[in-house]
Amino acid sequence: MTEPADHPFVQAVKPLVDAMGAEMIAPEQAQGDDVVLSWEGRDRVAVRLPHLSDSLDHLLAELQRRHGMPLSDLDRRTKQSVVRVLEARGAFSVRHGVETVAGALGVSRFTIYNYLNRNNAAKGAD
C-alpha cells in the first residue's frame, strides 16, 4: 500500500473495513468495484468489498465471536435474536442464506422460516 498502515485516515476506516469483511489495498491496485477513499485531495486507500456469500460467513463468525460460543449452542431466544440481526443485515437475500444460517444455528430451514415469520408478524403488530 502507498499509504503507511499507520496513516490516521487508514486507521480511522480500518474498523469499518474489518466489520464489513472487506480488504484494504493500495489505491493503485484498485479494480472494477473497489472503492477508493481519498483524504485531503489524495487517494489514501482502496477497499475491496467481499462477495455477498463471504459477507454472510463473516457475519456468522462475528456473531459467534460476540456470543463467545458456537451459534448452535445458543438458547432458542438468542437464536431468534441472531436471526433478527441477520435479517436486518440482509443475510437472507443471499443465495442459500437460509440454509447457511440454519446450519450455523443447528436448526432446520423450517425453524429459520418460523423465526422470520414471527419477526415479521411482530413488526406488523407494532
Side-chain angles (χ1 to χ4, degrees), residues 21-115:
E23 176 187 0
M24 294 195 310
I25 59 173
E28 60 273 6
Q29 294 176 343
Q31 302 171 359
D33 292 336
D34 295 339
V35 179
V36 178
L37 303 175
S38 299
W39 182 260
E40 297 177 341
R42 288 188 48 207
D43 292 345
R44 301 294 178 169
V45 67
V47 177
R48 181 158 294 155
L49 301 171
H51 293 280
L52 286 176
S53 59
D54 294 338
S55 293
L56 179 53
D57 292 339
H58 181 77
L59 273 171
L60 290 167
E62 173 58 26
L63 286 165
Q64 182 168 309
R65 186 195 62 73
R66 189 180 305 168
H67 288 284
M69 66 178 69
L71 297 176
S72 59
D73 292 347
L74 298 173
D75 63 45
R76 183 172 151 256
R77 178 177 230 153
T78 307
K79 287 180 181 182
Q80 290 171 335
S81 173
V82 165
V83 168
R84 279 194 299 275
V85 168
L86 291 169
E87 182 180 24
R89 300 285 303 271
F92 302 110
S93 63
V94 174
R95 186 170 186 207
H96 302 297
V98 171
E99 292 86 350
T100 301
V101 172
L105 292 177
V107 299
S108 69
R109 287 183 9 218
F110 180 75
T111 298
I112 297 297
Y113 286 118
N114 281 339
Y115 291 171

